[in-house]
Amino acid sequence: MKTHLEGYVGIDTLTEQIRKKALRQGFEFNVMVVGGAGLGKSTLVNTLFKSKVSRRVCHPEEEYKTPKTIEIKSISHVIEEKGIRLQLTITDTPGFGDHVDNSKCWQPIMRHINDQYEKYLNEEISIKRRKRIPDTRVHCCIYFIPPSGHSLRPVDIEVMKRLVQVANVIPVIAKSDSLTEEEREAFKQRIQKDLEANEIRVYPTVDNADNDEDELGNNAQIKERIPFAVVGSTSQHQVAGKSVLGRKTRWGIVEVENEAHCEFIHLRNMIIRTHLQDLKEVTAQVHYELYRHKRLETLKKLPLDSVGSAPPSPNDANNITATKTPVPNNNNNKQHANNNGSPLKPSPKTPAVVKPIDAGNHVGQQALSESQI
């Protein structure tokens, strides 16, 4: 029932109160980039935020060598624009797709994403909780597709199948200026068919009941552009008397922010200007909630006195064993005694033994034989 006010109360100041508090606290945003070496991951991230935020730029002394296994490396920055402070964390995956055998190459990435969910969950269920829990959960995963011009590779299909279960995945065609306009459009259509055929639901979803008509229409337009054909560059060039970001070639300059040259501007608008908050909300309300549900569901199977500070892994639920305490036979209310006549003390109850947690095997990981890659 809607009731009309008889005078001014001041409810309309709520938005200003929330804005001031949010500005005081600042914001957090965590981006992961996944793709092989040489696809311009660091350059694209620097171009997105117009600052040197990638790990490769911040640590130029590191000489890149293909690691024996996939590594997960993160770097955090605090960037500020017009009084808005954002703590930005960029996570890179050096070594991904750079080996002869790329079977199960998604496992270290899945493990890292689930580890962040585990950290957040442990903070939530701890007895002494912090006033504000640090949010290290991956809000956005940009997946770089090589500009082959053919179709998705089997490894791309298998990796994205799993990543979409735990994170918001946004696929992009890296270095799209290496393709002609006709090649690029045909490549995008083949990728869209591969995504649909393999039921890979990348971000954003168009069937979210919480979105209004404008948001649904905007998401539908974004879906038609996915994967975004992008070009990254931090170099400034003069074009018609204006300074623009672009890549200089023998036949001209590819302008990064020119819609006629690539779709970088649409990617940036979606991630930062229109969907940043939604990326965080979907991470918290969908992906994290699914993880949290699967982890806490196992508590129902544990006796109360065996629950520790962290719940066991869902995969370890069947491995929980408990030693039962022998119950003495108290017939006729008589206390049993040892041979020397002293009362028999009941043996202490042994708590349940919980195996160590392996966050890499929690949610969304299905077994796959190496022959499928």
Side-chain angles (χ1 to χ4, degrees):
M1 181 177 65
K2 185 176 180 180
T3 303
H4 295 284
L5 300 177
E6 297 178 358
Y8 179 73
V9 177
I11 300 174
D12 58 342
T13 63
L14 269 175
T15 54
E16 182 63 18
Q17 295 174 41
I18 295 172
R19 189 187 72 85
K20 287 183 178 179
K21 185 174 182 180
L23 289 177
R24 249 190 343 263
Q25 294 178 342
F27 302 90
E28 298 166 320
F29 190 55
N30 308 316
V31 179
M32 172 180 274
V33 290
V34 179
L39 292 180
K41 300 188 299 295
S42 299
T43 303
L44 183 68
V45 169
N46 292 336
T47 311
L48 272 174
F49 296 96
K50 290 190 175 182
S51 56
K52 297 178 180 180
V53 294
S54 68
R55 183 184 57 84
R56 295 289 298 276
V57 172
C58 296
H59 300 285
E61 70 281 357
E62 290 185 8
E63 182 181 354
Y64 182 80
K65 295 180 181 179
T66 303
K68 294 182 180 180
T69 58
I70 297 174
E71 300 175 350
I72 307 294
K73 295 186 176 182
S74 300
I75 186 166
S76 296
H77 303 264
V78 175
I79 57 179
E80 188 169 342
E81 183 181 41
K82 295 182 179 180
I84 307 298
R85 189 174 68 256
L86 176 70
Q87 180 173 321
L88 175 68
T89 300
I90 307 295
T91 302
D92 196 1
T93 55
F96 175 83
D98 296 340
H99 301 90
V100 176
D101 182 10
N102 290 309
S103 58
K104 300 183 179 180
C105 60
W106 58 84
Q107 287 188 344
I109 301 172
M110 297 278 290
R111 185 175 298 112
H112 173 79
I113 295 174
N114 284 331
D115 279 346
Q116 309 318 305
Y117 291 150
E118 184 69 19
K119 290 178 182 177
Y120 199 90
L121 177 61
N122 286 336
E123 287 285 350
E124 274 192 337
I125 65 177
S126 62
I127 296 176
K128 294 182 179 179
R129 291 197 297 180
R130 304 188 197 185
K131 186 177 180 180
R132 187 182 182 193
I133 301 176
D135 189 2
T136 61
R137 298 170 294 186
V138 176
H139 302 129
C140 173
C141 176
I142 305 177
Y143 190 88
F144 287 71
I145 301 172
S148 64
H150 301 297
S151 59
L152 286 177
R153 301 173 300 171
V155 66
D156 295 326
I157 293 173
E158 296 302 334
V159 171
M160 281 197 284
K161 265 186 180 179
R162 286 155 177 80
L163 287 183
V164 295
Q165 300 176 32
V166 295
N168 301 315
V169 177
I170 302 174
V172 299
I173 301 174
K175 295 186 174 181
S176 64
D177 56 329
S178 62
L179 302 171
T180 65
E181 289 186 9
E182 293 78 10
E183 290 172 340
R184 189 178 74 182
E185 190 59 32
F187 189 31
K188 288 184 66 171
Q189 290 179 5
R190 283 192 288 268
I191 292 175
Q192 289 173 353
K193 289 180 181 178
D194 287 341
L195 294 174
E196 184 178 354
N198 291 278
E199 298 181 349
I200 301 174
R201 292 171 58 88
V202 296
Y203 182 88
T205 57
V206 295
D207 54 357
N208 191 341
D210 294 333
N211 293 338
D212 57 28
E213 292 184 2
D214 291 339
E215 291 172 330
L216 291 174
N218 188 21
N219 288 347
Q221 292 179 0
I222 292 173
K223 275 289 189 180
E224 294 176 358
R225 296 185 182 276
I226 286 178
F228 294 99
V230 298
V231 176
S233 176
T234 56
S235 301
Q236 298 279 349
H237 300 278
Q238 292 296 321
V239 176
K242 296 182 179 180
S243 181
V244 299
L245 289 172
R247 287 165 54 94
K248 189 174 182 180
T249 64
R250 288 184 297 176
W251 54 86
I253 295 175
V254 181
E255 299 176 36
V256 171
E257 296 176 304
N258 189 335
E259 188 178 350
H261 293 186
C262 71
E263 296 174 327
F264 168 82
I265 193 170
H266 296 291
L267 174 68
R268 184 182 62 191
N269 287 345
M270 185 192 74
I271 292 180
I272 301 176
R273 301 181 183 180
T274 62
H275 285 68
L276 190 148
Q277 184 59 30
D278 187 66
L279 283 164
K280 297 181 64 174
E281 289 178 359
V282 172
T283 299
Q285 299 171 10
V286 178
H287 298 298
Y288 172 67
E289 278 302 314
L290 175 62
Y291 178 90
R292 183 176 179 274
H293 171 74
K294 288 182 177 291
R295 293 287 281 112
L296 297 183
E297 193 177 31
T298 58
L299 287 178
K300 300 176 183 178
K301 303 176 183 179
L302 289 174
L304 291 178
D305 56 356
S306 66
V307 178
S309 60
S313 165
N315 291 344
D316 293 336
N318 297 328
N319 298 328
I320 297 171
T321 57
T323 304
K324 294 183 178 179
T325 304
V327 180
N329 186 11
N330 293 328
N331 292 335
N332 301 326
N333 296 327
K334 293 180 179 179
Q335 187 178 28
H336 286 250
N338 290 324
N339 293 333
N340 58 6
S342 61
L344 179 63
K345 296 182 179 179
S347 59
K349 188 174 182 179
T350 305
V353 178
V354 180
K355 284 191 173 184
I357 295 173
D358 179 9
N361 295 322
H362 288 165
V363 182
Q365 299 190 30
Q366 302 171 357
L368 183 75
S369 63
E370 296 182 3
S371 61
Q372 291 178 270
I373 302 300

